[in-house]
Amino acid sequence: MSDLRFSDDPADLDFERVHRWLSEQSYWARGRTREQQRAAMAGSRVFGVFDGASGVQLGYARVITDGATFGWLADVFVDPDARGRGVGIALVEGITTSLAPLGLKRIVLYTADAHGLYEKSGFRPVPDPANWMVLPGPGFGHDVHD
């Protein structure tokens, strides 16, 4: 039996822990308010990985999707004390398995430093990056990867 448990049930998530991780420890969501985090979670499919013995949440991610054609994987975070245990791999593989029945045409993400993690689950660099465009909003600042 695995020492990790994946969940796609929003009721399983520890909101305060997730908010603290993202608003205090991530490079992309530092300073995010509780209200912003609640709205982000409400507009997304949310996922977590938990310690199988203690039940403590070890990782979090969300996917913004229309449920039919497209998904954006965002806010992937693994507790620093749990890194090296396979939490990130369990999280990403759990998400892709959970979304597979939707038949999405593509799932995209932005990462500054975890390319190897995502490649293990089949993610590849965008083949046509010149075709992608972004309209930064006032909440983006200089970063376009949130």
Side-chain angles (χ1 to χ4, degrees):
M1 182 175 202
S2 173
D3 67 337
L4 300 175
R5 180 179 65 84
F6 172 83
S7 176
D8 59 4
D9 183 349
D12 286 344
L13 300 179
D14 180 341
F15 175 82
E16 290 301 324
R17 187 173 180 88
V18 169
H19 179 256
R20 187 173 53 253
W21 282 338
L22 297 176
S23 68
E24 297 176 10
Q25 298 180 39
S26 76
Y27 64 83
W28 64 90
R30 191 168 302 269
R32 185 180 290 172
T33 67
R34 282 179 173 72
E35 294 75 23
Q36 289 170 322
Q37 186 60 44
R38 285 190 199 287
M41 292 172 81
S44 306
R45 292 180 184 231
V46 292
F47 307 92
V49 169
F50 302 81
D51 183 273
S54 70
V56 171
Q57 187 169 348
L58 304 175
Y60 167 80
R62 66 188 179 98
V63 174
I64 305 97
T65 182
D66 59 11
T69 63
F70 181 82
W72 180 280
L73 177 57
D75 288 346
V76 179
F77 193 91
V78 173
D79 187 299
D81 293 335
R83 293 177 185 166
R85 289 182 53 187
V87 174
I89 293 169
L91 185 58
V92 175
E93 289 181 357
I95 291 167
T96 56
T97 299
S98 179
L99 296 178
L102 300 177
L104 302 177
K105 185 173 180 180
R106 69 179 49 91
I107 300 170
V108 299
L109 61 87
Y110 180 95
T111 184
D113 58 3
H115 296 78
L117 166 70
Y118 299 109
E119 287 172 350
K120 291 177 184 176
S121 295
F123 284 86
R124 299 291 175 259
V126 175
D128 52 358
N131 293 349
W132 287 85
M133 298 182 75
V134 63
L135 174 63
F140 277 101
H142 292 99
D143 292 326
V144 295
H145 58 275
D146 183 28

